[in-house]
Amino acid sequence: MSVSQDKSQGRKRILTPLVQESTPAIIARKLHDAIASGNFPPGSQLTESGLAADLGVSRGPLREAMQRLTAEGLLVSHRNRGLFVVSMEEDDIRDMYVARTAIERAAIEQVIVGGDQAALDDLNAAVSRMRGFIDDPNSAEMAEADMEFHQILVEHAHSQRLSRLHETILVETRMCLRAMRGTYSSGKERIDEHQALVDAIASGDATAADTLMIEHMKDGLHRLVGADESSGAVSTA
């Protein structure tokens, strides 16, 4: 029976069509993961020959994948030198926090408007995972749980555009969170900041939640670049 016949008989679609990723998309995702995990640190050079050998692919799809990451800003091309992972200099970090703050403030608004209990459940579960590392606030595990919280927040905004913008920032966030290790003296303080955000969202207090997110981002920026550099970098407008 054809699809059109199914539709004419009013059959409800149960399964969604399979979406097969292209080879460049798969390669790009692997490179995303490698950069995010620190296997390719900021400023490191990526060579076509080495990556093609590691991945077992030809240079055509590899070049396309690398072009995608260059367009996203994760790779930068230096004339006569090649492609490098972007270096997270102070200007890059400030700019990343401007974008990240805008996205996550918008996500909070959408989550509150949506009133989805599943969002609150998932965010509370993310905070609970952070509590598992309360005695080691600067561990890689705590940093990953922290980032997962923010990923869940944006996912529950149910906005394809916000999620797409946030995807690249997630990689940069992981790079920054690794740099922030050693800056937290208290696991409870780090966890309480996130729990306060969840509580404000749960109460439907958009103003309080927005203010908390702004302060949370200012704190993160301060831990990376210092008080003088972070002042005024994240707008409260």
Side-chain angles (χ1 to χ4, degrees), residues 100 104 121-153 173 177 180 184 186-198 213 216 219 223:
R100 185 179 166 199
E104 297 197 25
D121 292 342
D122 288 348
L123 288 168
N124 275 310
V127 175
S128 294
R129 284 189 287 276
M130 292 180 69
R131 287 198 179 94
F133 311 108
I134 191 170
D135 294 328
D136 196 0
N138 296 300
S139 65
E141 292 80 10
M142 175 65 94
E144 185 61 26
D146 185 326
M147 201 217 66
E148 184 185 16
F149 174 94
H150 295 275
Q151 181 178 7
I152 289 170
L153 173 65
T173 298
L177 286 177
M180 284 167 60
Y184 286 94
S186 167
K188 182 178 183 300
E189 177 186 354
R190 189 170 189 174
I191 292 164
D192 285 350
E193 286 184 17
H194 292 80
Q195 187 63 61
L197 279 166
V198 180
M213 177 58 76
H216 182 62
D219 178 68
R223 292 176 185 278

Side-chain angles (χ1 to χ4, degrees), residues 74-93:
L74 291 178
L75 297 181
V76 59
S77 177
H78 292 300
R79 186 178 179 86
N80 299 324
R81 293 178 57 201
L83 282 174
F84 295 79
V85 177
V86 64
S87 295
M88 296 300 291
E89 305 294 341
E90 288 186 358
D91 286 345
D92 298 308
I93 294 170

Side-chain angles (χ1 to χ4, degrees), residues 71 91 101 225:
D91 286 345
T101 302
V225 301

